[in-house]
Amino acid sequence: MFPKGFLWGASTSAYQVEGAAFEDGKKASQQDIINQDSYRKFGFATAEIASDEYHHYKEDVALMKEMGFSSYRFSIAWSRIFPDGNGEPNPKGVQYYHNLIHALKQAGIEPIVTMYHYDCPWALVEKYGGWLSRQIIDDFTHYAEFIVREYGSEVRIWTTINEQSIIVQYWTQKCYIPEELLDGKHNQLRYQINHYMNICHAIACNLVHKLVPNGIVGSALGYSCIYPLTGKPEDCMAMQNAQALRNDYYTDIYFKGIYNKAAKTYLEQHGLAPVIEDGDMDLIASGKSDFLALNYYASECAKACPDDGKTVIQWSGVNRSGKKGDISGFETHPGFYQMCRNPNLDTTDWDWAIDPIGMEYMLRDLYNRYNKPLMITENGLGAYDTLNDDGRVHDSYRIDYLRSHIAAVGRAIDQGVKVISYNPWSAVDLLSTSNGVKKRYGLIYVDRTDNDPKNCAHIRKDSFYWYKKVIASNGGDLD
Ligand code: BG6
């Protein structure tokens, strides 16, 4: 089932685990600012301490070794390396990642490094709006070249920009967007940011190919397979439209170097298409991805949405409360498609549809269409956990989720799909991008709440012991 040498591990991202947000020369990223705001609005923890990984990384690498990890995906915080986004590197920040990579290598764990996970240096936001400006391309190039040169002799596997598709959908959570741009008239900027990211992705691919012997590189994409709500032809057509705009619009860039035609036509007709300068598409086409890394949590469902002249474009809603059903809405593009709840699937408390078959469906579909190796760089269950009096966290629900999804990866492999790694979300509990720290994903529990960082003790959950068995059997023993 799982081939020899398959990479097992888990994932995190810098601002969601590290903390030490203003320590050892690091300056703010846009996530430090965004999360200060969500602390004020919703009471969610800030990124200032997060899981305190900056001070716990040695302990966690030892725990990863104990679980038998052969890989670990993490991201580098741009503003730890370049506190002002550009200029001179911060020696202590540079050293931190050397230490982490060194500890991983010593433990026999292959680092999988993400260059950018939502945390643009705040200095660049103040200077020119961050990703809102084309100027970011030069600063990203400077940063990417520096880290590839600095760590390239020890890091073979690189992912570029985390989840462009999710940044388009949830742009205020993943990017700092000033209030005055939120009046509904500036939505084209979502796709403009994505265009700049496509250019940066291509530049990053070219850098890895030039500077890292045997290096491989690709995007880590937030991806949900999409089903039609019914077998009615108009729902099936809506499903294809949603597939084009939500998924193919990204994957066609990575593997064909073009914008998907159906999605592009829709965006042009609605004033949402990015401005493309001469040479952009050639540059994008030059950046070849070696693989596609997938962050899969849930499938989605689409239905027809006739343009009645009254319905307006709406973007994906979010559930902030953690009470099932509280989702604030579904993405709607009149005349193209509307996303909706799938009545056939149960959801998490935050309304994410639980669908292991969707994992198999996605892997088979993408491999058949692009014939490139696939990695799972995120997959997991956001849930409330309880630290019991016995000092244990009995997260059987998480084990059930992971078990069924790993089995689905195994079935895809049996069908001939080339999957090279499985790194679920997350190695340790962390600061969720939308729901604070009470929504937990980790195999390792972090003893803190949204209000109280306590001592951030790191504690093995039941899923930790279960995953250890899974890895030891190379995916053969999922019981
Ligand atoms: C992915 C992101 O979209 O989903 C992660 O890459 C994120 O950063 C994860 O944490 C789960 O989403 P959330 O909103 O529950 O944290």
Side-chain angles (χ1 to χ4, degrees):
M1 192 160 118
F2 287 89
K4 198 164 168 272
F6 187 82
L7 293 173
W8 294 97
S11 285
T12 60
S13 91
Y15 90 86
Q16 295 181 269
V17 291
E18 282 178 4
F22 305 102
E23 215 174 303
D24 285 347
K26 179 179 173 294
K27 290 192 185 167
S29 80
Q30 64 183 6
Q31 286 302 335
D32 293 310
I33 307 302
I34 291 170
N35 281 279
Q36 282 166 4
D37 193 44
S38 54
Y39 175 72
R40 284 189 293 271
K41 279 196 192 132
F42 309 109
F44 300 152
T46 65
E48 205 166 331
I49 297 175
S51 308
D52 202 25
E53 192 66 14
Y54 193 75
H55 302 111
H56 284 258
Y57 78 89
K58 285 187 191 150
E59 176 188 343
D60 281 343
V61 170
L63 290 171
M64 292 178 208
K65 186 176 178 191
E66 186 182 327
M67 271 187 278
F69 280 20
S70 45
S71 62
Y72 172 51
R73 172 192 178 230
F74 62 94
S75 76
I76 293 179
W78 183 345
S79 67
R80 201 177 288 291
I81 302 291
F82 290 109
D84 293 311
N86 51 28
E88 289 306 308
N90 166 30
K92 287 191 173 162
V94 174
Q95 191 57 44
Y96 172 70
Y97 296 106
H98 273 303
N99 295 346
L100 173 59
I101 291 166
H102 182 70
L104 289 167
K105 296 283 239 192
Q106 291 261 302
I109 299 171
E110 169 130 32
I112 299 173
V113 174
T114 297
M115 297 179 180
Y116 178 79
H117 200 118
Y118 305 151
D119 50 357
C120 179
W122 182 245
L124 300 184
V125 177
E126 287 193 309
K127 199 164 157 198
Y128 51 69
W131 285 103
L132 291 167
S133 164
R134 201 177 163 98
Q135 261 185 273
I136 191 118
I137 297 170
D138 286 345
D139 286 330
F140 178 85
T141 304
H142 175 64
Y143 161 65
E145 178 158 358
F146 178 85
I147 57 172
V148 171
R149 283 189 190 278
E150 187 71 25
Y151 305 113
S153 60
E154 295 193 284
V155 176
R156 186 179 62 96
I157 308 178
W158 294 82
T159 74
T160 56
I161 295 176
N162 187 63
E163 295 197 341
Q164 289 178 228
S165 57
I166 302 296
I167 294 169
V168 167
Q169 285 299 321
Y170 302 93
W171 70 332
T172 55
Q173 280 171 44
K174 322 291 176 188
C175 259
Y176 183 84
I177 308 295
E179 281 291 320
E180 63 269 22
L181 298 183
L182 301 179
D183 57 4
K185 295 188 193 133
H186 297 88
N187 282 319
Q188 181 269 353
L189 291 172
R190 295 173 188 251
Y191 290 97
Q192 195 64 50
I193 290 171
N194 180 60
H195 182 66
Y196 300 148
M197 289 184 166
N198 285 334
I199 294 172
C200 289
H201 165 81
I203 290 170
C205 289
N206 289 335
L207 281 169
V208 171
H209 289 139
K210 190 169 118 197
L211 299 172
V212 183
N214 302 320
I216 54 172
V217 59
S219 168
L221 185 63
Y223 196 103
S224 295
C225 57
I226 304 169
Y227 307 129
L229 179 63
T230 72
K232 286 187 205 160
E234 51 271 39
D235 284 343
C236 296
M237 203 62 242
M239 179 275 274
Q240 267 205 35
N241 292 338
Q243 172 68 23
L245 189 58
R246 293 171 69 96
N247 291 335
D248 302 345
Y249 190 66
Y250 306 92
T251 50
D252 280 359
I253 282 285
Y254 302 142
F255 295 116
K256 298 182 184 168
I258 55 165
Y259 281 115
N260 175 275
K261 182 76 175 131
K264 185 168 177 264
T265 304
Y266 172 82
L267 294 177
E268 284 168 356
Q269 285 168 350
H270 293 80
L272 294 170
V275 174
I276 300 172
E277 293 193 2
D278 284 352
D280 284 359
M281 295 314 295
D282 288 341
L283 177 51
I284 287 172
S286 76
K288 301 269 180 299
S289 294
D290 300 301
F291 58 79
L292 179 63
L294 293 156
N295 298 346
Y296 174 82
Y297 291 86
S299 61
E300 302 267 6
C301 196
K303 64 180 180 184
C305 177
D307 189 355
D308 56 9
K310 284 182 280 188
T311 311
V312 292
I313 292 179
Q314 196 181 322
W315 304 88
S316 295
V318 61
N319 178 327
R320 294 287 197 177
S321 70
K323 280 195 216 113
K324 268 192 201 186
D326 264 4
I327 189 154
S328 60
F330 290 93
E331 192 197 12
T332 306
H333 291 276
F336 210 41
Y337 65 85
Q338 176 169 38
M339 305 311 290
C340 56
R341 201 180 81 76
N342 186 337
N344 304 297
L345 295 173
D346 192 11
T347 69
T348 70
D349 288 326
W350 286 266
D351 291 318
W352 298 28
I354 300 172
D355 181 18
I357 292 177
M359 169 75 94
E360 183 184 357
Y361 185 103
M362 168 187 77
L363 291 171
R364 287 175 59 172
D365 175 45
L366 282 167
Y367 193 66
N368 286 339
R369 288 194 289 133
Y370 297 109
N371 199 29
K372 284 284 180 188
L374 302 172
M375 297 166 60
I376 301 298
T377 38
E378 290 181 35
N379 172 233
L381 180 74
Y384 297 104
D385 286 342
T386 308
L387 179 61
N388 289 288
D389 294 342
D390 61 1
R392 300 282 297 265
V393 178
H394 302 302
D395 56 342
S396 54
Y397 36 88
R398 181 166 295 106
I399 293 173
D400 290 345
Y401 179 99
L402 294 174
R403 175 190 290 123
S404 59
H405 285 76
I406 293 173
V409 176
R411 291 197 300 275
I413 291 172
D414 290 345
Q415 301 289 338
V417 179
K418 184 161 186 192
V419 187
I420 56 181
S421 63
Y422 180 73
N423 283 274
W425 197 251
S426 48
V428 291
D429 284 343
L430 41 70
L431 174 61
S432 149
T433 61
S434 48
N435 300 104
V437 299
K438 65 174 75 57
K439 181 196 210 180
R440 295 173 182 272
Y441 287 93
L443 300 156
I444 299 165
Y445 185 85
V446 176
D447 190 15
R448 64 158 300 165
T449 66
D450 278 306
N451 292 324
D452 184 359
K454 301 192 193 170
N455 58 0
C456 275
H458 288 206
I459 298 163
R460 299 165 184 81
K461 298 185 189 175
D462 285 0
S463 54
F464 175 104
Y465 297 103
W466 171 81
Y467 194 44
K468 182 177 171 177
K469 251 176 4 123
V470 172
I471 296 176
S473 64
N474 198 26
D477 178 4
L478 299 180
D479 288 340

